[in-house]
Amino acid sequence: MFIIKTVLFLTLIFIYSCNSNKTEEEMEELWSKAQTKTEIINRSGTLFNSGVDMDVALRDAETRLQSGGGLLGSGGLSVGGILGGGGNESSSASISMPVNVFLWRGALETVDFMPLSSADPIGGTIITDWYSTTDNQNERCKLNIFISGKDLNTENLKVTSFCQKFKDQMWVNKNINKENNIKIENAILNKAKKLKLQSS
């Protein structure tokens, strides 16, 4: 036991002496490099492809580094294999999204100004929280977005909106113009098509 403690003590002294040779400026430079988005993603072991979506990869990386698990549990989710991966066959242990990745990303980017209540890439559902504009605080709306299937087409996308007006000290449901839902669907489809073009 004494020998083990002695070896451990000597090892700690050696490590400290190696690090003490670095100047404070060198240590600061190393620390700043270690905090770049790319380094955080590399250290975390995230399965998200930062080339496809840097923000998702960074969120997953930070979650992994803080908790030991990813956004979708310790297994994570691979987006890289969905986009053709460019010959990378190392995604055998990852889960592929059952919905069209461009519709999914297009929907998230189209409604990114609204707070999210939940987003389930496996089930293909995005539910926003209530949102009011600063110009009109007496009205609020929320969206339910459903994505199904792997094809980028209108049949695999459905948007349902809900709006309320504050009247007599309570929120009252408003009638929804279905044309507005179609306009949101078209905006998501257009965004998804642009994302697909950018990736090719």
Side-chain angles (χ1 to χ4, degrees):
M1 188 68 178
F2 175 73
I3 296 171
I4 294 172
K5 286 183 179 179
T6 306
V7 170
L8 183 61
F9 179 71
L10 291 173
T11 305
L12 289 172
I13 290 174
F14 176 74
I15 291 169
Y16 177 75
S17 66
C18 288
N19 286 336
S20 63
N21 293 334
K22 294 188 186 305
T23 65
E24 193 173 319
E25 290 173 0
E26 287 176 320
M27 293 301 284
E28 282 181 18
E29 184 183 353
L30 284 171
W31 178 253
S32 66
K33 284 180 181 174
Q35 295 307 305
T36 63
K37 287 182 180 180
T38 306
E39 283 305 310
I40 291 170
I41 290 167
N42 289 343
R43 278 199 313 270
S44 71
T46 180
L47 297 176
F48 284 91
N49 184 341
S50 60
V52 175
D53 196 328
M54 176 67 88
D55 292 334
V56 172
L58 183 62
R59 268 201 319 270
D60 184 65
E62 289 172 340
T63 304
R64 282 174 184 279
L65 291 172
Q66 290 172 3
S67 67
L71 289 175
L72 300 163
S74 57
L77 176 72
S78 172
V79 179
I82 300 164
L83 299 178
N88 183 4
E89 301 300 328
S90 64
S91 60
S92 58
S94 62
I95 301 167
S96 128
M97 283 177 70
V99 298
N100 184 279
V101 69
F102 300 111
L103 279 176
W104 176 258
R105 284 185 56 209
L108 285 175
E109 291 186 24
T110 302
V111 300
D112 66 353
F113 62 94
M114 300 177 82
L116 284 183
S117 176
S118 69
D120 175 14
I122 305 301
T125 58
I126 298 169
I127 299 172
T128 72
D129 209 341
W130 292 105
Y131 172 78
S132 297
T133 62
T134 51
D135 297 335
N136 191 359
Q137 295 285 332
N138 290 327
E139 286 190 14
R140 64 183 190 177
C141 293
K142 65 180 291 189
L143 300 173
N144 290 356
I145 303 170
F146 303 98
I147 301 167
S148 59
K150 293 204 171 205
D151 296 328
L152 202 168
N153 55 39
T154 52
E155 288 78 23
N156 289 338
L157 176 67
K158 180 169 176 51
V159 174
T160 308
S161 58
F162 306 90
C163 292
Q164 294 180 334
K165 186 166 189 170
F166 195 69
K167 190 176 180 181
D168 300 327
Q169 300 301 311
M170 61 186 295
W171 289 102
V172 180
N173 289 335
K174 290 178 62 178
N175 290 329
I176 301 300
N177 183 353
K178 291 186 179 179
E179 289 295 318
N180 290 338
N181 293 340
I182 294 169
K183 286 179 184 175
I184 297 168
E185 287 173 1
N186 288 337
I188 292 171
L189 281 165
N190 289 335
K191 185 70 174 176
K193 287 173 184 174
K194 285 179 185 173
L195 289 170
K196 186 173 182 181
L197 283 172
Q198 288 169 6
S199 75
S200 56

